[in-house]
Amino acid sequence: MKLGGAVKANGGVLRHASKALRGDADLVAAAVAQGGGHLLEHATEALRADRAAVLRLVGVDGRALACAAPPLRATLSPQKIIGRSQATSRC
């Protein structure tokens, strides 16, 4: 199984993926859906700073908000994304 497939099967594998895979929004979304929002911490900084990508991931698991790039996280708040899942995590 290629690493991309492994990430989809086990989101935690994302931490071992190449930078190109860690920057793939669809692959990171699959990892977050499979393993939880905290896996956003293993995505590239560019993806963690991408507002549209982060909002999509927060829609999958609100805990991803805690792993967004700090400047983006400062502009978002759980109150601004009401209706999404819980927005607390360990990042």
Side-chain angles (χ1 to χ4, degrees):
M1 178 185 308
K2 292 186 178 183
L3 192 54
V7 169
K8 290 178 181 177
N10 177 357
V13 174
L14 183 63
R15 72 186 60 143
H16 304 291
S18 69
K19 186 174 182 178
L21 291 177
R22 290 182 293 110
D24 182 307
D26 292 330
L27 190 64
V28 173
V32 166
Q34 193 283 326
H38 68 281
L39 292 173
L40 179 57
E41 73 180 303
H42 301 297
T44 61
E45 186 64 27
L47 186 62
R48 294 174 58 223
D50 182 308
R51 183 181 184 87
V54 169
L55 287 174
R56 174 183 173 198
L57 295 171
V58 168
V60 172
D61 185 332
R63 295 173 294 181
L65 179 60
C67 299
L72 178 59
R73 193 172 58 237
T75 68
L76 300 173
S77 70
Q79 294 77 22
K80 290 182 181 179
I81 52 176
I82 296 293
R84 300 182 190 272
S85 54
Q86 183 180 355
T88 59
S89 186
R90 60 182 173 86
C91 283

